[in-house]
Amino acid sequence: MIKVAPSVLSADFTRFCDALKMLEAAGADYIHCDVMDGMFVPNITFGPYMIRDMRKTTNLTLDVHLMVQAPERYVEAFAEAGADIIVVHEEATTHLDRTLQMIRAAGKKCGVALNPHTPLSVLEYVLDGLDQVLLMSVNPGFGGQSFLPYSLDKARALKAMIDARGLDIDIEMDGGIGPNNVAEVTAAGVNVLVAGNAVFAAPDPAEVIRRLKRGK
C-alpha cells in the first residue's frame, strides 16, 4: 500500500492548524516533519515543541526526519513530544546502531535516512532492525529541488536487499516527488512518498494526495 507523507515544511505556518486538518481530510497517511539544525544541512526549521503541538492537533502518524548533527542528543525529546517514527541520518551520527537502539527503547519506530551519494552498504548490519529507510532524492536542506533520477536505481537496489532478507521495511523517498514521476518512483519499490511543494503549492492539494496514493 502506498502511503503519502506531506512535508509540512512547505505549509503556510500562519495557517498551520488548517493545513493539518486539510491533510487529514485529504487522506494523508503521515505528517512528514523535517527538523533541520543549520549544521548538518544549511537551514533551520523547528524543534520538539512544534512536534508536541502537532500531536495535540492531529492523530496522523508523525514521521520525524532529524536532519541534525548528532541526532542521539534529541531522540528522547522528540519521542516525548509525540513522534511516532524517528528517522536519523547515517551521515550525522557516529554510532548509528546505538542511536537506533535509543529510538527503539523509547518505544518508537526507527528509520535511517541516506543522502543521495551515500551507498546502501552502510545499512548492511542495521537493516534487520529498521522499520523504514528514507532515500533522499535531492540533497537535503531546502524544499522545491529537482528529483535526482539515479535515486530510482538506488530504490530498486534497496528493495532487492530487503526482499532477499525477507524483511518488512518501508522504503520512503523524499525530494522532487509529484504526480509527474510517482509512477516510476513506486515502480522502483518506494511505498512512502514525501511531497512538499507538490501538495501545498497545488490548486487542489487533496487531488494531488489522491493521485500519489494511486501511484500514477
Side-chain angles (χ1 to χ4, degrees):
M1 185 180 71
I2 298 170
K3 302 172 188 175
V4 177
S7 171
V8 290
L9 188 62
S10 298
D12 180 348
F13 276 37
T14 65
R15 302 180 60 193
F16 204 74
C17 286
D18 291 340
L20 294 179
K21 291 175 183 176
M22 179 275 290
L23 294 176
E24 283 190 342
D29 300 281
Y30 295 170
I31 301 295
H32 189 77
C33 309
D34 289 307
V35 178
M36 306 181 190
D37 65 353
M39 297 176 63
F40 181 66
V41 293
N43 200 0
I44 297 174
T45 55
F46 47 79
Y49 289 161
M50 179 71 90
I51 303 302
R52 179 198 63 192
D53 290 345
M54 279 193 251
R55 182 75 291 158
K56 295 176 184 177
T57 308
T58 181
N59 291 319
L60 292 178
T61 295
L62 297 182
D63 178 29
V64 177
H65 176 194
L66 297 183
M67 286 181 270
V68 303
Q69 201 65 42
E72 59 273 11
R73 296 176 295 164
Y74 305 107
V75 165
E76 184 176 347
F78 281 98
E80 290 179 353
D84 297 295
I85 307 168
I86 299 179
V87 179
V88 298
H89 271 264
E90 184 277 336
E91 307 89 351
T93 182
T94 303
H95 302 289
L96 178 60
D97 184 72
R98 180 183 297 163
T99 303
L100 295 173
Q101 288 183 41
M102 291 175 63
I103 297 171
R104 289 192 290 267
K108 307 299 178 179
K109 290 186 175 181
C110 66
V112 173
L114 302 180
N115 283 337
H117 73 280
T118 303
L120 296 175
S121 58
V122 299
L123 300 175
E124 176 70 24
Y125 297 109
V126 298
L127 188 64
D128 291 24
L130 299 181
D131 298 292
Q132 181 168 288
V133 176
L134 169 55
L135 299 179
M136 296 301 301
S137 45
V138 298
N139 288 294
F142 298 95
Q145 299 184 65
S146 298
F147 182 84
L148 295 171
Y150 67 79
S151 304
L152 297 173
D153 292 333
K154 195 172 184 181
R156 284 188 283 266
L158 176 57
K159 177 64 172 170
M161 286 177 61
I162 291 170
D163 289 348
R165 298 192 189 190
L167 301 174
D168 182 17
I169 299 174
D170 286 329
I171 300 177
E172 184 174 34
M173 188 168 277
D174 182 359
I177 296 173
N180 63 319
N181 63 359
V182 64
E184 55 185 347
V185 170
T186 55
V190 177
N191 70 304
V192 181
L193 306 171
V194 178
N197 285 356
V199 171
F200 286 101
D204 187 352
E207 174 58 21
V208 173
I209 291 173
R210 286 192 290 269
R211 289 183 63 185
L212 293 176
K213 287 174 76 74
R214 290 197 298 266
K216 57 184 179 179

